[in-house]
Amino acid sequence: MFRGLDYKCHFCSECDGTGCIAELPGMGGVFDNANFMDNVAGWKNVPNTTTTQIPIRLAPITGAVENIGYQDERSFYFDIMAAACAANIQLSLGDGCPDEKLQFGIAAVKAISKFYPTKKAAVFIKPYPNNRIIERIEWASDVAEIIGVDIDSYNIVTMRNKVQLEKKTAEQMRELQKAACVPFAVKGVFTLQDIEMVEELKPDIVVISNHGGRIETERGSTADFLIRYGSRLSKCCNQLWVDGGIRCARDVAAAASLGAAQVMIGRPFISALCRGGIKEVVKEAEKFR
């Protein structure tokens, strides 16, 4: 970890979206952080009706230099992977532009496997043309326990135009599902059109996500989306995951009560890493158990 840098996280006492409004690049999101704030608030309104514990997974994170203020992408990936393993958090990798963002993540998981031999990651790839996604599946084959396509990142307009992201059809996704050779996930389900696509595809895993409130999509919280459509989505996949606004063990239990098999968490672990490194991430993880 690089101490003393000008991190873009404000280390708010509660990570609820009020401290980084419109800071994008940065830790904020679009619509003056409306979906970010809705995500956090949404879980407070869900009654906790279960004591079931479900796995906690690091959300896929890239853009550490421009969005977090980390010195370089390689160091961030090595630091966050080591911290997640120490905290017994499941791993995810994201990709981006340039290609080295995903490649650094793959290298970090390979390095970590020397100390944690069973650790692999859910690898979420942007919705490039299929030939580019299949190339990335091959890159990640040694470290991937799950391959997913991050369909909501199509709504990052600047990236979509820069690297030709596509709005994927079920037919296009089926080709990728066959190429994956591990369980296949669709991340970023947050519209009725998304639901219709996964109902046709029937992936192994569906991840309800609005990209942490960072992208232009429909308004609302992931908790409310899970309440409204969780039963429908669970009929077309083996597991339903949810991402966005989860801040404590009660939120995790609330997600489990609504049928989620895993939750993904991003900003709280980023903030903890920047505040105090691996030990702080381990401490933060205990809030979710």
Side-chain angles (χ1 to χ4, degrees):
M1 188 192 70
F2 295 90
R3 301 180 183 275
L5 295 183
D6 186 17
Y7 291 121
K8 295 186 179 182
C9 180
H10 299 291
F11 306 116
C12 301
S13 58
E14 182 180 5
C15 181
D16 61 3
T18 58
C20 54
I21 292 174
E23 294 185 11
L24 190 65
M27 300 292 282
V30 299
F31 309 139
D32 287 332
N33 281 14
N35 277 14
F36 177 177
M37 290 187 276
D38 284 349
N39 281 348
V40 176
W43 294 107
K44 300 182 189 303
N45 299 321
V46 180
N48 175 13
T49 60
T50 184
T51 57
T52 301
Q53 290 189 327
I54 57 176
I56 299 165
R57 185 175 293 270
L58 181 70
I61 302 158
T62 58
V65 176
E66 56 267 43
N67 292 310
I68 301 170
Y70 233 76
Q71 181 166 317
D72 64 81
E73 197 83 12
R74 180 192 293 272
S75 298
F76 170 76
Y77 251 135
F78 276 78
D79 291 348
I80 196 69
M81 291 296 114
C85 288
N88 196 28
I89 301 164
Q90 303 300 312
L91 305 182
S92 292
L93 298 180
D95 85 323
C97 180
D99 293 345
E100 65 183 16
K101 290 184 177 180
L102 176 59
Q103 292 166 343
F104 288 154
I106 292 168
V109 176
K110 287 181 177 179
I112 290 298
S113 68
K114 297 175 183 178
F115 306 96
Y116 300 90
T118 63
K119 280 289 187 182
K120 291 194 171 186
V123 180
F124 293 97
I125 302 169
K126 296 290 189 290
Y128 303 103
N130 276 16
N131 64 316
R132 294 189 65 192
I133 295 177
I134 291 170
E135 178 184 43
R136 282 158 173 73
I137 291 172
E138 293 171 354
W139 292 352
S141 60
D142 291 340
V143 304
E145 60 179 349
I146 293 159
I147 290 289
V149 177
D150 195 5
I151 63 170
D152 57 351
S153 60
Y154 173 82
N155 295 308
I156 305 172
V157 178
T158 52
M159 187 170 187
R160 180 173 74 215
N161 294 337
K162 185 176 182 179
V163 295
Q164 298 179 315
L165 301 185
E166 298 179 341
K167 189 75 172 177
K168 293 296 185 184
T169 66
E171 183 178 357
Q172 288 174 311
M173 295 287 274
R174 195 169 289 114
E175 179 187 10
L176 302 172
Q177 188 176 29
K178 291 178 181 177
C181 298
V182 291
F184 186 73
V186 178
K187 176 187 171 291
V189 173
F190 203 67
T191 69
L192 285 174
Q193 186 178 6
D194 297 336
I195 292 174
E196 291 167 358
M197 187 271 285
V198 297
E199 284 179 327
E200 184 178 348
L201 176 66
K202 294 182 172 55
D204 299 290
I205 300 162
V206 167
V207 185
I208 293 172
S209 174
N210 58 16
H211 223 82
R214 293 173 61 80
I215 59 167
E216 294 183 7
T217 185
E218 294 188 5
R219 299 288 289 269
S221 75
T222 53
D224 288 343
F225 196 87
L226 178 57
I227 290 169
R228 282 181 290 161
Y229 300 113
S231 178
R232 179 175 172 180
L233 285 167
S234 66
K235 294 174 183 177
C236 66
C237 63
N238 295 328
Q239 288 193 0
L240 188 59
W241 298 3
V242 66
D243 165 49
I246 294 166
R247 295 294 182 265
C248 62
R250 185 197 174 284
D251 297 346
V252 176
S257 73
L258 294 173
Q262 289 194 28
V263 297
M264 295 202 299
I265 298 166
R267 287 183 181 93
F269 295 140
I270 294 170
S271 181
L273 180 69
C274 294
R275 283 199 313 269
I278 291 176
K279 289 183 179 179
E280 193 67 18
V281 174
V282 172
K283 181 180 176 182
E284 185 71 20
E286 291 306 310
K287 297 179 183 179
F288 298 95
R289 299 188 172 107

